[in-house]
Structures are given as C-alpha cells and as structure tokens.
Amino acid sequence: MADPSRKPESKPPLHQQAIQFALDVANGRHVLSKLIPPALFLADALLCGLIIWKVPYTEIDWTAYMEQVSQILSGERDYTKIRGGTGPLVYPAAHVYIYTGLYYLTDEGRNILPAQKLFAGLYMVTLGVVMGCYWQAKAPPYLFPLLILSKRLHSIFVLRCFNDCFAVLFLWLAIFFLQRRNWQAGALLYTLGLGVKMTLLLSLPAVGIILFLGSGSFVTTLQLAATMGLVQVLIGVPFLAHYPTEYLSRAFELSRQFFFKWTVNWRFVGEEAFLSKGFALTLLALHVLVLGIFVTTRWIKPARKSLVQLISPVLLAGKPPLTGPEHRAAARDVTPRYVLTTILSANAVGLLFARSLHYQFYAYVAWSTPFLLWRAGLHPVLVYLLWAVQEWAWNVFPSTPVSSAVVVGVLGVSVAGVWFGAREEWEPGTKSSSKKEEAAMR
C-alpha cells in the first residue's frame, strides 16, 4: 500500500528535458539518432542541386584535362609530351581513363553540365560512404553535420570537377571495406585510387599495416601487396609498354617544384624559404620522423611486438614476423575504429608535412578532421570551433600568412591530438567502445 505522505517524484523542468533529449540524440543514445545521417544526406542532395542551378561553374583544370585526353586519343603515349593549358600530365593512367569517359560524355569537354551532375552524384556517393565509415567506427551523431557543411568541398566536387574527387572516393571505399574485414576489396579499391592520384601514397603505410595485422596471415599480406602492385602495372600498360621511364617519372613524380603563389599551407614562411631545398628536406625529415613515431608507438601495438621484433625473423631467418596464434590475436584488435583512426591519422601526418597543398587537397582533409578531433578527446564545442576556423582558412583566396598558419595549425592539432587522445585505440586487447555505446549506436 502506497504511503500517502510520500510525494511523487517531480520531473525536471521542460527546458532541461529538451536539453537532455537533444544531448541524447546528438550522442547516439536515442532511437532518433539513427535518423540524423539520412536526414543530412537528403538535405545535402538538395544543396548540390541548388549549387548546380544557381552557382556558375569555375574553370580551373577541366580544359587542361580535356586537352591532355585529346592528345592521348590522337596516339601520344609519351607522358613528357602530354600537356594542357595548366601544365603537363602528372597523374597516373586511371585518371586518364576516367577523364576519357568524361571527354565523350561532355562532347569533348564543351558541355560541362553533364559532368557537374555526375560529380554531384560522385559527391553524394562519397558522402554516403564517409557516413558509413563514421557509423561503423561508432562516431557520435553530432559529428555528422560537419560532413555536409563545407563550402570548399562542394566547390571542389560540383564547381571544379577535380580528379581528387575520384581518388578520395576510392580511399573512403577502401576504408569501408577494410572496416568490414574484406581485405581483397579494400586493397583493390585503394590501389585503384592510387592509380588516379599519387596523393593516396600518404596513406600507404597505414593501409599496409592494417592489411598485415588484419588479414591474419603474412602470406596473405604478401599476396595482397603483389595484387596492388600488379594492378598498378596493368593500369599503366598502354604507357609503360612504350615509355616506361617517362610514365613513372611524371605519374609518380616526387621531386616536383611547386609555385609559391598557389600554396595554401606555407604562405606564412615566405617565398624564399618555401622554394629552398632545405625547407623541402626538413619537411621530408619531419614526415618520416612523425610517421615513424606513429608506426612504432601506436599502429603496430596490436602485434604485441616492437618493430625490430617484427622485422628480425623475416630478415634473419626468412620466417613470418608473427606466429599463427599471434597473428589471429592481432587481427581481433583491427576494429572498424582502428582502421579509420589509423588511415586518417596517416593521411593527416602526410598533409601536415606536405611540400605544398592546393585548394583541391581539402577533399582529403574535410571529411577527416571531425573524426580525428573527436578521437583526440576534444570537447564538441572545440571540435566545431576548430572545424570552423579550418573551413575559413581553406576558403581564403589567395591564401594569406594567417590563413596558411591556421591550415597547418589545425592539421597539427589533429595529428598531435589523435596521438595523445586515441592512444588506447592501438593498445592490444582494449575495446574502443563499451557495450552500452555499441547498443546505442546499433
């Protein structure tokens, strides 16, 4: 029998209930959390349509792409002789095949509207894959609005039609399938993206480690590596068969000289320093150093062995670096969140120390930053603030010392933050999310 003197529990004020409801939805603790990605996806589809309808197309590299394709269709196979209005052809052969298709689709490049529609579809497919990768990594829903709010990213896809759009789609598709432990598909998609643009080389160390640890077999890892190399050869056959040195030196040129007027990231160091060989070597050394720190202190942790212990059996005895049981134990720790954190951190390290970034490189940054800042353990307000200043910096044209310092600064915060904040992600045997969190995100 109820105690008549006992007062019923009072509910919190309505505004507190509303705030708690919003927090639950934003953090994936409410059934409505699942509706955030599809709702944002539909909103962005409408936005892409409005951009094509209302915003004029901006010519940058499209005409050059078409001019280069025209020369190839006329029979030219020497990469050093293939040029367009903005310079020589410096992309691998998969780029050529993609833009050959666009050449025919757009009446030899003269009718740009069909290409814009295709790139809008390309953007939406990539966005869907990115959202899928975030969801598999159990990222909170409050990050998802940042995936659709970038002015510069829409411009890169819908108004500029850069080849980076195809490369970044292949990269995210590779991540998606690697998260699902489909190593063959992940490796194939990654190498196809590399066949479009060599920027994807920045992620190669992470992809290699993931394939090594996740596949569960050293032999399988070697087979996947061989497949990736073979695909690159097959992609380049029409050019490798006639001018192999010319193709490799241009498609995968590592010593390219960049113009100071186009740099987005190093404007603040001044032109003299930017063009100096010492500056280039310093960036290369820092890239190798930081990459080595991530490899040795973070990425290979699931192996439960040091890098020396992994390499020694292969070099000294010709044996696999891990035994069968050791490899299977390591493979269990290659979770969807591990895959996404590792590849995006490798990409961020490479971009941080890149010789020069141009505006189209934001395609590799925009969808990575929210996840990395969250994995760094930053408060949501700070995540949004850093994303906003980064977006501002990438929209300043031409870049200024302040905007370029912001570009480098946010990349630096992302790299340092994920190294410190996500260290448990790479610890063997640790779970990156609780059962309660997993249930909430299902």
Side-chain angles (χ1 to χ4, degrees):
M1 188 171 179
D3 185 354
S5 63
R6 185 178 180 183
K7 294 181 180 180
E9 292 184 9
S10 60
K11 291 184 177 180
L14 190 59
H15 71 279
Q16 290 186 8
Q17 294 183 50
I19 292 173
Q20 187 59 50
F21 170 75
L23 290 173
D24 288 342
V25 173
N27 285 280
R29 297 190 296 262
H30 194 280
V31 66
L32 293 180
S33 300
K34 295 180 179 180
L35 298 180
I36 291 179
L40 292 171
F41 185 88
L42 292 175
D44 208 1
L46 293 174
L47 179 59
C48 286
L50 285 173
I51 291 172
I52 294 174
W53 181 31
K54 291 291 187 180
V55 183
Y57 164 78
T58 306
E59 168 57 37
I60 297 183
D61 283 340
W62 174 264
T63 299
Y65 292 163
M66 296 297 106
E67 291 169 347
Q68 292 162 356
V69 166
S70 177
Q71 293 170 44
I72 292 168
L73 292 176
S74 298
E76 184 59 72
R77 294 294 181 270
D78 184 347
Y79 251 56
T80 61
K81 295 180 180 179
I82 302 170
R83 299 184 63 88
T86 57
L89 176 59
V90 292
Y91 309 117
H95 156 88
V96 173
Y97 306 145
I98 290 170
Y99 280 86
T100 298
L102 291 170
Y103 180 87
Y104 290 115
L105 179 68
T106 60
D107 188 21
E108 300 181 358
R110 290 185 287 266
N111 183 8
I112 194 65
L113 184 59
Q116 285 188 274
K117 292 178 179 178
L118 185 147
F119 273 83
L122 182 68
Y123 172 89
M124 294 308 304
V125 171
T126 310
L127 175 64
V129 175
V130 172
M131 287 182 168
C133 292
Y134 269 56
W135 198 261
Q136 288 187 117
K138 298 180 173 60
Y142 69 75
L143 292 180
F144 284 69
L146 298 179
L147 303 180
I148 73 164
L149 293 177
S150 173
K151 175 184 176 182
R152 175 61 67 186
L153 192 59
H154 285 91
S155 173
I156 290 168
F157 274 82
V158 181
L159 299 179
R160 268 77 170 178
C161 303
F162 286 119
N163 62 352
D164 303 83
C165 304
F166 289 96
V168 81
L169 170 61
F170 281 119
L171 175 62
W172 281 99
L173 281 170
I175 292 171
F176 181 83
F177 281 97
L178 290 173
Q179 286 181 315
R180 300 179 70 86
R181 309 184 72 80
N182 190 330
W183 314 118
Q184 292 79 10
L188 177 61
L189 288 161
Y190 171 77
T191 197
L192 287 174
L194 184 58
V196 176
K197 195 164 184 177
M198 65 175 287
T199 307
L200 265 64
L201 280 173
L202 299 178
S203 304
L204 181 59
V207 172
I209 289 173
I210 288 167
L211 291 175
F212 164 59
L213 295 176
S215 65
S217 165
F218 187 58
V219 173
T220 301
T221 305
L222 295 178
Q223 290 172 342
L224 292 170
T227 299
M228 292 166 66
L230 178 60
V231 169
Q232 287 302 315
V233 172
L234 293 175
I235 288 173
V237 158
F239 305 97
L240 289 170
H242 301 282
Y243 300 96
T245 303
E246 290 79 357
Y247 173 75
L248 294 173
S249 65
R250 281 293 174 86
F252 298 98
E253 185 179 358
L254 299 175
S255 59
R256 191 180 309 161
Q257 183 65 47
F258 296 95
F259 294 108
F260 182 69
K261 65 178 180 179
W262 297 123
T263 186
V264 177
N265 55 333
W266 296 119
R267 180 80 61 183
F268 67 92
V269 303
E271 186 169 8
E272 183 178 352
F274 176 82
L275 295 175
S276 69
K277 187 175 182 180
F279 182 64
L281 292 175
T282 299
L283 290 175
L284 178 60
L286 288 172
H287 185 187
V288 173
L289 174 64
V290 175
L291 203 61
I293 291 172
F294 269 87
V295 170
T296 56
T297 67
R298 295 293 183 263
W299 298 344
I300 65 169
K301 283 292 184 179
R304 298 165 175 83
K305 288 186 177 182
S306 69
L307 186 61
V308 173
Q309 290 174 319
L310 290 172
I311 295 175
S312 297
V314 180
L315 297 180
L316 300 179
K319 295 181 179 179
L322 297 173
T323 65
E326 289 173 338
H327 221 142
R328 287 190 290 273
R332 286 194 292 270
D333 290 325
V334 181
T335 64
R337 188 178 290 181
Y338 170 94
V339 170
L340 188 54
T341 307
T342 303
I343 292 179
L344 295 190
S345 59
N347 186 62
V349 169
L351 294 171
L352 174 61
F353 299 111
R355 183 69 177 80
S356 184
L357 297 179
H358 297 168
Y359 287 97
Q360 59 266 40
F361 282 77
Y362 196 47
Y364 308 97
V365 177
W367 282 321
S368 301
T369 300
F371 184 83
L372 291 176
L373 293 178
W374 169 65
R375 294 300 297 128
L378 301 183
H379 190 278
V381 173
L382 193 53
V383 171
Y384 269 72
L385 179 61
L386 286 170
W387 178 90
V389 296
Q390 173 183 264
E391 177 70 16
W392 166 81
W394 281 89
N395 278 283
V396 174
F397 179 82
S399 65
T400 66
V402 174
S403 69
S404 66
V406 170
V407 166
V408 174
V410 176
L411 280 170
V413 169
S414 300
V415 170
V418 79
W419 189 84
F420 284 105
R423 57 187 178 274
E424 83 286 350
E425 186 64 53
W426 296 292
E427 289 297 331
T430 59
K431 299 298 181 182
S432 59
S433 60
S434 66
K435 292 181 179 179
K436 184 177 180 181
E437 180 189 1
E438 292 178 6
M441 294 297 292
R442 286 195 188 106

